[in-house]
Amino acid sequence: MAKDYYQILGVARGADEKEIKASYRKLARKYHPDVNPNDKAAEAKFKEMSQAYEVVGDPERRKLYDQYGDNWEHAQNYPGDIPTGGSAADFGDFHFGGGGIGAETIFEHLFGGGRAGGTRVNMNFQDMETMQPRDVEKTVEVSLEEIDSGTKRVLTYQTMDAHRMQDKFTTVPTTKKVEVKIPAGITDGKKLRVPGKGAAGQSGKAGDLYVVIKWAPHPLFKPVGENLEVEVTVPYTTAALGGEIRVPTLRSGVTMKIPEGTQSGQTFRLGGQGLMRLNGSRNDLMAKVKITVPKKPTEREKQLLRELAELDKVPV
């Protein structure tokens, strides 16, 4: 059964970007593995909602999802409408030459025209000299956890490759698949080059594939320069008297001591607890304090607070 990403995130289909982000952050804090250690159900829920947010949290992907539903990933591979009656990436029934369906029929099927009811695309055959190899660029969104440890991605994508049609050349869509190794510590916006995996020219030689790395938003951690920042809640009594608090990290969590008189908004540096660098060392994690007070103090707490308020009164 198809998954409804809006239902998973608990928002209406017409929700704006701010509502979607707020709901995602709320759910992420509830189901994050650091908050629910060894809870497989919470871990599965966290992965499911993260997948949903990667789609509806991105304006371009959301537009495709709203239009095509579960077929949105296929839709982004084509400049026109998705062909009816089959998978968008399936070319098994088409043959070039030898009495098979011609190139114009293929393009009518893929991009409209003929019985599909779309707008016919005029085929412009180019001179052989202009059919050169071309580079292709694809963006890959990677979580901070994957950036910290390194990961791999298998990309399936389409290129418009040169193809001989009788005594002329034209371009045809070609499905390609490649595994890309993403090293730990790679920076946001960095491009990885995969030689020979771009679009092929009339000589048969292909251009390169450039994979652009995009750091995915995280429910807990925010990149600040080279470091990460995380907000930690601290009870007002601990902030006043000093003590120990638990700070989540990308790998698990650490215990941090805070001095008495800690103020809300105060930031503490945890050396080597941030993201991995390309050279193997680690950046820092900045823990930003948010002081909390009880919403419904007990009568005993109220009495003690009144006594404390009396002590704090400045003599006139």
Side-chain angles (χ1 to χ4, degrees), residues 2-316:
K3 294 181 179 179
D4 187 330
Y5 287 157
Y6 292 102
Q7 185 177 15
I8 291 172
L9 293 173
V11 297
R13 295 189 74 86
D16 59 27
E17 185 177 345
K18 186 177 180 180
E19 290 176 291
I20 293 173
K21 186 175 183 180
S23 181
Y24 170 65
R25 286 183 176 274
K26 180 180 178 181
L27 291 171
R29 288 181 182 276
K30 180 179 179 181
Y31 293 106
H32 194 276
D34 284 345
V35 182
N36 305 274
N38 302 319
D39 188 335
K40 297 298 183 182
E43 181 180 353
K45 180 69 175 177
F46 181 77
K47 290 181 179 179
E48 182 182 53
M49 47 170 285
S50 296
Q51 181 186 36
Y53 183 72
E54 285 181 2
V55 177
V56 300
D58 182 281
E60 293 300 321
R61 293 180 180 180
R62 182 183 182 185
K63 183 178 179 181
L64 291 170
Y65 177 72
D66 288 345
Q67 185 174 0
Y68 299 109
D70 286 346
N71 291 320
W72 73 272
E73 288 186 280
H74 297 309
Q76 68 181 342
N77 294 323
Y78 298 98
D81 294 335
I82 296 180
T84 58
S87 170
D90 183 6
F91 303 104
D93 294 335
F94 299 116
H95 304 278
F96 300 101
I101 299 177
E104 291 186 359
T105 306
I106 295 171
F107 275 80
E108 288 174 2
H109 181 72
L110 292 173
F111 304 122
R115 287 171 294 179
T119 301
R120 184 183 178 91
V121 177
N122 291 326
M123 299 291 293
N124 295 318
F125 290 93
Q126 303 178 38
D127 294 333
M128 291 177 61
E129 291 77 15
T130 64
M131 301 292 286
Q132 300 300 316
R134 295 173 302 286
D135 295 335
V136 174
E137 189 172 285
K138 296 291 179 182
T139 298
V140 173
E141 196 170 64
V142 187
S143 69
L144 292 181
E145 285 85 357
E146 291 174 313
I147 293 295
D148 188 60
S149 61
T151 187
K152 294 179 180 179
R153 280 287 193 278
V154 176
L155 303 182
T156 302
Y157 57 100
Q158 271 74 42
T159 59
M160 298 301 292
D161 289 359
H163 184 86
R164 180 183 290 277
M165 187 63 62
Q166 296 180 356
D167 60 343
K168 297 180 180 180
F169 276 86
T170 185
T171 55
V172 296
T174 304
T175 301
K176 295 181 180 179
K177 186 175 182 180
V178 63
E179 183 178 85
V180 180
K181 182 178 180 181
I182 301 173
I186 190 168
T187 55
D188 188 36
K190 181 74 173 179
K191 293 183 180 181
L192 297 174
R193 175 174 169 264
V194 185
K197 293 299 181 178
Q202 57 89 15
S203 66
K205 182 179 179 181
D208 299 332
L209 168 67
Y210 286 89
V211 181
V212 183
I213 302 300
K214 179 183 178 183
W215 288 6
H218 198 282
L220 299 179
F221 305 102
K222 179 176 71 174
V224 179
E226 294 183 345
N227 302 315
L228 293 180
E229 181 181 271
V230 61
E231 186 178 81
V232 289
T233 57
V234 179
Y236 70 106
T237 50
T238 305
L241 301 174
E244 293 185 345
I245 60 171
R246 191 68 177 169
V247 180
T249 70
L250 286 172
R251 291 161 295 285
S252 57
V254 295
T255 299
M256 181 182 76
K257 291 183 177 181
I258 60 170
E260 62 181 42
T262 294
Q263 303 297 304
S264 191
Q266 192 169 345
T267 301
F268 296 90
R269 182 185 296 269
L270 297 174
Q273 293 296 332
L275 275 172
M276 177 76 75
R277 298 189 182 104
L278 282 171
N279 63 9
S281 62
R282 291 190 181 277
N283 289 305
D284 300 335
L285 177 64
M286 312 302 291
K288 188 175 182 179
V289 171
K290 179 182 179 181
I291 296 177
T292 60
V293 298
K295 292 183 178 180
K296 294 182 178 181
T298 64
E299 288 301 321
R300 176 58 176 162
E301 288 173 328
K302 290 179 181 179
Q303 179 60 37
L304 291 173
L305 287 172
R306 293 188 188 102
E307 294 177 10
L308 180 61
E310 287 295 324
L311 292 174
D312 285 342
K313 285 185 178 179
V314 178
V316 180

